[in-house]
C-alpha cells in the first residue's frame, strides 16, 4: 500500500517540497518541453486522456443509470461532496457486479485516443517508464495497459470489491486514487521508490494538474475534453498526442 505521507507538508523534506512547488509554478512552456524530452517516467491519466471516454459514465449508461450518475457528477463538481464520496455515491447507484463488468468489458473494448499507441511505443523505445494513474477502475484499465504493452504493475487505479456471489461490495478506500490528491500521492511514491528525477504527469483533469508537484512538470491534454481551468493553468497544453511525439523526436 502506498504511504500517504510521502508528500505531506510535515515530513522531513518540507523545505525541499516548498522549493519544488516554487520551481513548478515558475516553469515556462519551453522548460516543460525540455523536462518531457529528458523524462525518466511519464504518468498518464486514462479517462478522456489515454481513452476517449469516461469509463464510469459508460458503465452507468450500460447499467441504465446514465441520468442519475450524470446528476451526481454535476453535484460533485459543484463541491457538494469529496472525490471519494462522489465515487462511492455513483457506484452505489450503478451497483456494478462481476457479471455486469464481464459483459461490459466484452462489448466495450478500449477506445484509445489517436496517437497514444505510437507515443507509448516511442517512450518505451527510449527506456522511459510509463504508468497509468487513474481515478477509474483497475479492471477496466487492465485491457488498456495490455493493448499498450504497459506492465499491469504500472497501473494505479481504484479496485471494485465484490461479495462471494459476485454482487457489488464497495471499493477499496485504501487506494490513493480514490482521494482528491491521490495522483499526487502516487507520483510521490514512484519518485521515492524508483528514484525518478524527471516525472511528467499528462491528463485532462484538475486532479492531474494538482499532481504537479510532486511531478516535475504537467502537460494538459485536451484531445477529448477541454477543462478550462486545466487549459488556463497548464504551462503546455496540447490537443493531440502527435504534438508530444513531435517534441520527443526533436532529440
Amino acid at each position: 500500500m502506498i504511504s500517504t505521507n510521502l508528500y505531506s507538508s510535515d515530513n522531513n523534506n518540507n523545505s525541499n517540497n516548498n522549493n519544488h512547488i516554487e520551481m513548478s509554478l515558475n516553469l515556462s512552456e519551453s522548460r516543460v518541453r525540455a523536462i518531457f524530452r529528458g523524462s525518466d517516467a511519464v504518468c498518464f491519466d486514462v479517462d478522456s486522456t489515454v481513452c476517449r471516454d469516461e469509463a464510469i459514465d459508460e458503465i452507468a449508461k450500460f447499467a441504465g443509470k446514465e441520468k442519475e450518475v450524470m446528476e451526481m457528477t454535476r453535484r460533485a463538481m459543484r463541491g457538494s461532496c469529496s472525490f471519494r464520496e462522489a465515487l462511492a455515491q455513483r457506484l452505489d447507484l450503478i451497483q456494478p457486479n462481476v457479471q455486469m463488468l464481464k459483459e461490459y468489458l466484452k462489448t466495450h473494448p478500449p477506445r484509445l485516443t489517436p496517437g497514444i499507441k505510437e507515443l507509448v511505443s516511442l517512450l518505451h523505445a527510449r527506456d522511459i517508464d510509463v504508468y497509468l494513474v487513474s481515478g477509474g477502475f483497475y479492471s477496466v484499465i487492465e485491457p488498456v495497459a495490455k493493448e499498450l504493452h504497459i506492465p499491469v504493475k504500472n497501473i494505479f487505479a481504484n479496485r471494485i470489491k465484490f461479495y462471494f456471489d459476485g454482487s457489488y461490495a464497495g471499493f477499496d478506500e485504501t487506494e490513493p486514487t480514490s482521494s482528491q490528491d491521490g495522483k499526487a500521492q502516487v507520483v510521490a511514491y514512484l519518485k521515492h521508490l524508483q528514484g525518478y528525477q524527471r516525472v511528467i504527469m499528462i491528463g485532462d483533469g484538475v486532479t492531474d494538474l494538482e499532481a504537479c508537484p510532486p511531478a516535475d512538470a504537467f502537460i494538459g491534454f485536451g484531445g477529448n475534453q477541454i477543462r478550462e481551468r486545466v487549459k488556463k493553468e497548464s504551462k503546455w497544453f496540447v490537443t493531440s498526442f502527435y504534438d508530444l511525439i513531435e517534441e520527443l523526436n526533436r532529440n
Side-chain angles (χ1 to χ4, degrees):
M1 189 172 69
I2 293 176
S3 172
T4 59
N5 65 4
L6 285 174
Y7 189 61
S8 64
S9 60
D10 58 349
N11 67 25
N12 293 331
N13 295 320
N14 187 38
S15 60
N16 289 336
N17 287 339
N18 288 338
N19 290 337
H20 191 99
I21 290 169
E22 186 175 350
M23 289 173 63
S24 297
L25 292 174
N26 292 330
L27 288 177
S28 63
E29 179 180 322
S30 61
R31 182 60 184 149
V32 172
R33 288 172 179 262
I35 294 171
F36 176 58
R37 293 195 305 272
S39 59
D40 44 18
V42 176
C43 297
F44 287 95
D45 174 43
V46 177
D47 293 337
S48 294
T49 299
V50 168
C51 293
R52 287 182 279 176
D53 43 32
E54 293 281 333
I56 196 165
D57 294 338
E58 295 303 309
I59 294 170
K61 190 185 301 182
F62 185 75
K65 298 290 185 179
E66 182 180 14
K67 290 183 179 179
E68 296 94 325
V69 169
M70 283 179 64
E71 177 56 32
M72 185 66 66
T73 300
R74 280 194 291 268
R75 289 206 297 270
M77 290 179 69
R78 291 196 294 266
S80 60
C81 58
S82 71
F83 184 91
R84 183 174 285 134
E85 288 169 341
L87 179 62
Q89 290 169 8
R90 286 180 288 180
L91 286 173
D92 283 343
L93 280 170
I94 298 169
Q95 289 290 305
N97 57 54
V98 169
Q99 188 59 37
M100 180 196 296
L101 283 178
K102 281 184 179 177
E103 289 298 321
Y104 174 82
L105 292 171
K106 187 186 300 183
T107 56
H108 293 71
R111 296 178 66 237
L112 297 179
T113 300
I116 188 62
K117 277 188 176 182
E118 297 93 324
L119 176 56
V120 171
S121 293
L122 182 56
L123 291 168
H124 282 158
R126 295 180 177 223
D127 293 323
I128 299 170
D129 292 337
V130 177
Y131 294 87
L132 299 177
V133 185
S134 174
F137 309 113
Y138 187 95
S139 56
V140 177
I141 295 171
E142 188 174 4
V144 176
K146 288 179 178 178
E147 190 163 341
L148 294 174
H149 305 290
I150 296 171
V152 293
K153 67 181 178 62
N154 289 11
I155 301 172
F156 292 86
N158 293 311
R159 293 177 183 265
I160 299 173
K161 298 191 295 186
F162 305 99
Y163 290 113
F164 68 93
D165 63 353
S167 61
Y168 175 64
F171 63 96
D172 186 352
E173 296 189 16
T174 67
E175 289 289 347
T177 48
S178 68
S179 66
Q180 179 70 28
D181 66 344
K183 292 177 182 179
Q185 291 181 37
V186 170
V187 172
Y189 168 77
L190 290 173
K191 293 186 76 171
H192 176 81
L193 183 71
Q194 303 289 355
Y196 295 131
Q197 297 299 308
R198 295 171 303 280
V199 177
I200 299 286
M201 183 74 211
I202 300 173
D204 70 292
V206 172
T207 56
D208 308 309
L209 174 70
E210 292 177 345
C212 177
D216 298 278
F218 170 72
I219 301 170
F221 184 75
N224 297 302
Q225 294 280 344
I226 293 181
R227 323 286 183 186
E228 287 306 320
R229 180 185 163 191
V230 175
K231 183 179 180 180
K232 181 180 178 181
E233 297 186 22
S234 298
K235 303 299 182 180
W236 186 22
F237 187 83
V238 301
T239 56
S240 171
F241 284 129
Y242 292 106
D243 293 339
L244 303 186
I245 294 171
E246 182 180 346
E247 187 65 32
L248 284 176
N249 284 331
R250 288 180 58 193
N251 275 5

